Amino acid sequence: MTTPLNERRIANAIRVLAMDAVQKANSGHPGAPMGMADIADVVWREFLSHNPTNPNWANRDRFVLSNGHGSMLQYALLHLTGYDLSIEDLKAFRQLHSKTPGHPELGYAPGIETTTGPLGQGIANAVGFALAEKTLAAQFNKEDISVVDHFTYCFLGDGCLMEGVSHEACSLAGTLGLGKLVAYYDDNGISIDGEVEGWFSDDTEQRFLAYGWQVLKVDGHDADALRAATLEAKAETKKPTIIICKTIIGLGSPNKQGKEDCHGAPLGNDEIALTREALGWTEGPFEIPADVYAAWDAKAKGTEAEQAWNETFAAYAAKYPTEAAELKRRISGDLPADFAAAADAYIAKVNAKAETIATRKASQNAIQAFAPLLPEILGGSADLAGSNLTLWKGAEGVQDNAAGNYVHYGVREFGMTAIANGVALHGGFIPYVATFLMFMEYARNAVRMSALMKQRVIHVYTHDSIGLGEDGPTHQPIEQIASLRGTPNLNTWRPCDTVEAAISWKSALLRSEGPTALIFSRQNLPFQTRTAAQIENAAKGGYVLAEEKGELKAIIIATGSEVSLAMDAYAQLEGVRVVSMPCAEEFVKQDAAYREAVLPSNIRARVAVEAAHVDYWWKFVGLDGRVVGMTTYGESAPAKDLYQHFGITAEAVVAAVKEITA
């Protein structure tokens, strides 16, 4: 190795901060930060273009720590380079309300680009960042001026490569030629259970070559080799690059380096003392000498880089004012000022048309209406565009044109969703992704991450119930809607017709504080007649669709395809109102007076009907109520026969109402 001693000392600052913070917390993972410190030194001090004084500078390079258990690596880097993350913040590692939680969390500390921890999703997010950069650059850069021009750097470990989502995302990254993505694989051969060769013997080099990546191999502790490899990676603009870095986990610890002992537990005070001695580090816990701080400080360099870009952007704005204004709007996340009014006009048009069609088709119609108004939409589907109807006139695949607006993700539900999270995090786009509702299960953890990170990602799910018919129980979702509704900060819409479908799309697009799941039917659903006031109230998530005839005695609550069953039952009953509740999350956000007007608390006779698991609805109907729905898996048969077989019928709703009002 040719790393000079002074450079190793600079990297050792990461090692001592990591072991000190983990020891103080008595919890954490010191091994990865200590093993990757030399890689981090080269990448962050010499290649990463960022500005600690403005962490959200638009053209910064993105950095993702996919092996997020090594979070002290990133916290140490942020502190050392000059972000607003103090030594006291590092001392508060893993403590309540600190900026330094156990895994990197978006919004806690400046400079954290994405929440990582669930292994493999960080590299998938990084693919999303790189995809967004490439597409945004193609849409806005000119031959004479480039204003979108940055790299995405990602650190990842064995666990990320073992998780299947990394295969999905990295395969697509190679196909799309994301040349500004550079990944550094911490090849230390150790996981919590020990030496990985007993359960991870993949030929990683050949795997990534097969994906279409450039693959480089280096000693992860050799700064010169790391420099040369990074330069080679940046020079390859048509392929993403993975640099396989052979490292020693916990480097510097005399008795624990290279072993699982340092992976997920503190080194211990005695071993830390020995490590300080081995590293030649004489300073005490959390003490960094001034010359080391000076070597790491990136504020001046970052400010200079941002100022240079600001000058470039000013020249761009002078020559291309329309494009500059549009880019600023899109990066800010603001929708066009006239969008809401245009959406309302479209909803009124849909209401006047009064079509009886499948809500998946109503969804496609809404996309067709809204996409031309919102060039930031970046759609996509996991190979089912012809079934979930996510393509629209004007959609163009990014595989054919980098400036396109649609991604053919292939059969990669998990990868697709995690990539979309990265696209949203990058900025400049509103991604939507689609599959059958049943196959949301493949993507479940990435949907959760959308909600956890409060990202505007739209998850489109079709074939929403036993109503999809003959494909049978493997394809018929039962518990999935309840699972989505149980996810904090996720809005789940299940519209009953064309009007509610259009309203759900408008709501999802306007919602900037989190993701939305839109759930649509395969089969045609009857149009429901509404007043203007009812259309306005539908956006509140729940509303009275049919007023009671006479004194109110019972309430029927329904969503999606079962609203028509509720209406059929309503025609046979007196003293009953029908409440359509396309989005329960929106409904419960309404003020108490509105909720009481829709669901009067003195009316305990309530029946909910939905072709999904019954358990969700007890919160609305109470223990005295009834739920008409599913408690088993489905069967293979035509939809009409299935509804009859499982007792999800207007007759069943009528019987339930009569039973509780008798």
Side-chain angles (χ1 to χ4, degrees), residues 166-409:
S166 69
H167 160 69
E168 296 182 25
C170 294
S171 168
L172 185 61
T175 299
L176 295 179
L178 302 181
K180 288 188 176 178
L181 172 60
V182 183
Y184 297 80
Y185 165 35
D186 180 26
D187 182 16
N188 62 39
I190 296 293
S191 68
I192 287 178
D193 281 356
E195 297 181 6
V196 301
E197 61 185 13
W199 49 86
F200 183 53
S201 58
D202 300 16
D203 188 331
T204 300
E205 178 181 7
Q206 291 301 314
R207 170 184 168 183
F208 277 81
L209 286 171
Y211 291 155
W213 286 52
Q214 175 178 231
V215 180
L216 306 173
K217 300 177 77 172
V218 299
D219 177 343
H221 303 299
D222 186 329
D224 289 341
L226 287 161
R227 263 185 221 102
T230 303
L231 288 169
E232 191 173 348
K234 294 185 70 172
E236 174 53 78
T237 59
K238 295 183 179 179
K239 297 179 180 181
T241 296
I242 185 168
I243 303 174
I244 300 174
C245 306
K246 194 63 183 174
T247 62
I248 299 171
I249 191 171
L251 183 68
S253 170
N255 298 306
K256 296 188 177 183
Q257 69 176 26
K259 301 176 183 178
E260 64 269 23
D261 303 46
C262 65
H263 185 288
L267 296 182
N269 288 323
D270 291 344
E271 187 65 16
I272 286 176
L274 292 173
T275 303
R276 272 187 156 74
E277 183 179 350
L279 296 176
W281 195 272
T282 58
E283 289 76 16
F286 297 101
E287 291 181 4
I288 305 296
D291 62 330
V292 175
Y293 270 129
W296 276 106
D297 193 345
K299 294 191 290 293
K301 183 180 177 183
T303 299
E304 182 181 345
E306 182 178 357
Q307 287 176 346
W309 181 81
N310 287 340
E311 292 172 8
T312 299
F313 189 80
Y316 179 87
K319 193 168 184 180
Y320 307 105
T322 301
E323 291 90 334
E326 179 69 359
L327 180 57
K328 288 178 70 175
R329 179 190 70 78
R330 285 176 55 174
I331 289 174
S332 73
D334 295 330
L335 299 188
D338 59 352
F339 172 73
D344 288 340
Y346 172 72
I347 292 166
K349 189 179 186 181
V350 169
N351 186 56
K353 202 169 184 180
E355 286 185 296
T356 290
I357 57 177
T359 51
R360 62 174 173 156
K361 179 58 180 175
S363 167
Q364 185 182 45
N365 292 345
I367 297 170
Q368 184 64 60
F370 296 153
L373 306 175
L374 300 171
E376 57 263 52
I377 285 180
L378 185 63
S381 177
D383 196 52
L384 295 169
S387 293
N388 52 40
L389 304 183
T390 49
L391 286 168
W392 74 96
K393 295 174 185 175
E396 187 172 11
V398 297
Q399 79 279 1
D400 298 318
N401 178 7
N405 51 20
Y406 194 86
V407 184
H408 292 274
Y409 284 100

Side-chain angles (χ1 to χ4, degrees), residues 51-67:
N51 186 3
T53 62
N54 183 12
N56 296 318
W57 165 40
N59 200 48
R60 67 194 181 279
D61 288 339
R62 283 9 180 224
F63 174 78
V64 177
L65 183 71
S66 189
N67 45 345

Side-chain angles (χ1 to χ4, degrees), residues 450-455 487-491 511 513-516:
S450 296
L452 181 64
M453 294 190 287
K454 303 177 182 177
Q455 293 304 297
T487 304
N489 198 43
L490 175 69
N491 273 9
R511 186 171 190 248
E513 68 277 13
T516 303

Side-chain angles (χ1 to χ4, degrees), residues 65 72 84 127 139 233 388 502 524 629 658:
L65 183 71
M72 266 310 303
D84 183 18
V127 172
Q139 291 178 357
N388 52 40
N524 290 345
K658 288 182 176 179

